[in-house]
Amino acid sequence: MALPAAAPAIVLVRPQLAENIGTAARAMLNCGLTDLRLVKPRCPFPDERANRAASGADAVLASARLFDDVESAIAGLTRVYATCPRDRDMVKPVLTPQAAIAATRAALGAGERVGFLFGAERTGLENDEVTLADAMVPFPVNPEFDSLNLAQAVLLVGWEWARAHDETPARRVRTGKGEAATKEEIDGFLKRLEAELDACGFLRNPAMRPAAVRNLRAFFLRARPNAQEIRTAHGMLTGLVERPHLAKAGKPRPGPRGREG
Amino acid sequence: MALPAAAPAIVLVRPQLAENIGTAARAMLNCGLTDLRLVKPRCPFPDERANRAASGADAVLASARLFDDVESAIAGLTRVYATCPRDRDMVKPVLTPQAAIAATRAALGAGERVGFLFGAERTGLENDEVTLADAMVPFPVNPEFDSLNLAQAVLLVGWEWARAHDETPARRVRTGKGEAATKEEIDGFLKRLEAELDACGFLRNPAMRPAAVRNLRAFFLRARPNAQEIRTAHGMLTGLVERPHLAKAGKPRPGPRGREG
């Protein structure tokens, strides 16, 4: 994922805990955001507790800017979103986080500068501060327990930002170092397995045989083996049938359910 | 948003910090998840620090279950996802968090029981533990700073769960108590404003007048006023033009740019 340099600013208004500023900075950098603005923090800042909580995102804290009020913090921006647990009784657009990020991407692409406001841990944003924003962005979570930790709220905006830029396919198969097996390789193993199962009597019921063989094939295809795994499967089959280790040691070959010793 | 009762379990493997267990529990309840399982926590549990960090999600902590290993914790589940910062070199499906949640919803709907594994803060899941999972779920974040706080990772899974159930429209306008203004109400105000602007000479340039009137109308429509706001606008216009307060006080009516006193 390539995260673009033009990204929204995160404005924390009167944060109370240095730890939350640090965890918010970590969440920002996790998601490729670096422009942190603090309005009148109620805790010391800079502070060692913030740096510890940032777990390596110190650069975000070092470049954070302090402001006396929200107006100054957003003065250079062209578009501001106020995050809030639920929407206020105010005539103002309300966007989901994903819609706000979609609008942010479009605005940044047109040269605008965008920021997200986050209120203090306990009290949130004041109505006058929400009024400064172009839109409200509530988080549609559990209505019976909707108070998000400050850094968690920052993460959700960051996550929507990173997620919107992510181009990984929704589902892929990590095949490790092995390349996917060809149909011929899979078929070759299945034919051999079938023959051995015929030989040992497992497929002796002619009425059941066709379905059993089909199920076996369905199972193997579902697992999507790679070439190395087919080679391993051949090896296992050889081991089970020929017992070369026992043969080499000169021990008698036990029957299908026989035991050593 | 109505969050369903059948929801995935969150399995924290060897968590190190009680605070993280608490914050994870809070994030879970924020997103409507309540089934918390702890495998060999390395911190005391239950613990007051976890409850403080849970900020009210104590019920999730109280019902959390302790296990000695991952196998026991997932024994009753039918489908398990291993979250990890990046995918391992293992032949296993890799899903984005949103794809894993989509598959989870489908599986729960079919009566399956699903869980997500989260490794310890510093060390993550061991390869043998990832092997127990049906698929890996990495978080596609900033590749240069991809280590998520444990509770933040839990929140991202929870958020995708809540987000998948959210039916709020992406964008709506919160109109407070006022109902949207009709076209007639808006038009009535704009005609009156136009007449006053003609009367005071603001629209005196005939070449500029049509564009000025069109721009004014575009501005008002873009703001999507409600009926109350149109009444307020009428009141403001009356105030500016008739200055009833000054007239009542018997003071001389000042000119357009006159000052009191």
Side-chain angles (χ1 to χ4, degrees), chain A residues 94 152 160 163 172 177, chain B residues 89 94 152 160 163 172:
Chain A
V94 182
Q152 303 272 48
E160 289 295 335
R163 191 183 191 278
R172 65 206 151 98
K177 289 183 183 69
Chain B
D89 194 18
V94 182
Q152 303 272 47
E160 289 295 333
R163 193 184 190 276
R172 64 205 151 96

Side-chain angles (χ1 to χ4, degrees), chain A residues 1-3 23-33 54-57 81 87-100 103 121 135-136 138-143 145-153 155-156 159-160 162-163 166 168-177 223-226 229, chain B residues 1-3 23-33 54-57 81 87-100 103 121 135-136 138-143 145-153 155-156 159-160 162-163 166 168-177 223-226 229:
Chain A
M1 180 186 54
L3 285 163
T23 318
R26 178 180 183 178
M28 285 175 63
L29 194 56
N30 281 148
C31 302
L33 303 178
S55 289
Y81 296 106
D87 38 314
R88 316 273 178 114
D89 194 18
M90 219 176 263
V91 187
K92 201 174 268 299
V94 182
L95 276 67
T96 59
Q98 50 268 42
E121 285 86 343
M136 295 182 278
F139 297 100
V141 293
N142 181 356
F145 190 75
D146 63 2
S147 162
L148 288 165
N149 164 275
L150 175 57
Q152 303 272 48
L155 176 69
L156 292 187
W159 170 249
E160 289 295 335
R163 191 183 191 278
D166 180 41
T168 15
R171 185 190 177 90
R172 65 206 151 98
V173 175
R174 175 77 179 175
T175 55
K177 289 183 183 69
R224 296 192 170 278
N226 64 22
E229 288 171 326
Chain B
M1 180 187 54
L3 286 164
T23 318
R26 178 180 182 179
M28 285 174 62
L29 194 55
N30 281 149
C31 302
L33 304 179
S55 289
Y81 296 107
D87 38 316
R88 316 272 178 116
D89 194 18
M90 219 175 262
V91 187
K92 200 174 267 300
V94 182
L95 275 67
T96 60
Q98 50 268 42
E121 286 87 343
M136 295 182 277
F139 298 100
V141 294
N142 181 357
F145 190 75
D146 62 4
S147 161
L148 288 164
N149 164 277
L150 175 57
Q152 303 272 47
L155 174 69
L156 292 187
W159 170 248
E160 289 295 333
R163 193 184 190 276
D166 180 41
T168 6
R171 185 190 175 92
R172 64 205 151 96
V173 175
R174 176 75 178 177
T175 55
K177 291 184 181 67
R224 296 192 170 278
N226 65 21
E229 287 170 326

Side-chain angles (χ1 to χ4, degrees), chain A residues 121-191:
Chain A
E121 285 86 343
R122 262 184 225 155
T123 50
L125 293 168
E126 288 171 9
N127 276 338
D128 281 347
E129 293 164 341
V130 175
T131 303
L132 296 172
D134 297 280
M136 295 182 278
V137 179
F139 297 100
V141 293
N142 181 356
E144 282 157 33
F145 190 75
D146 63 2
S147 162
L148 288 165
N149 164 275
L150 175 57
Q152 303 272 48
V154 170
L155 176 69
L156 292 187
V157 167
W159 170 249
E160 289 295 335
W161 171 255
R163 191 183 191 278
H165 292 89
D166 180 41
E167 288 170 359
T168 15
R171 185 190 177 90
R172 65 206 151 98
V173 175
R174 175 77 179 175
T175 55
K177 289 183 183 69
E179 54 187 319
T182 62
K183 294 300 176 192
E184 187 181 27
E185 286 165 335
I186 297 175
D187 197 58
F189 173 72
L190 286 173
K191 286 273 164 55

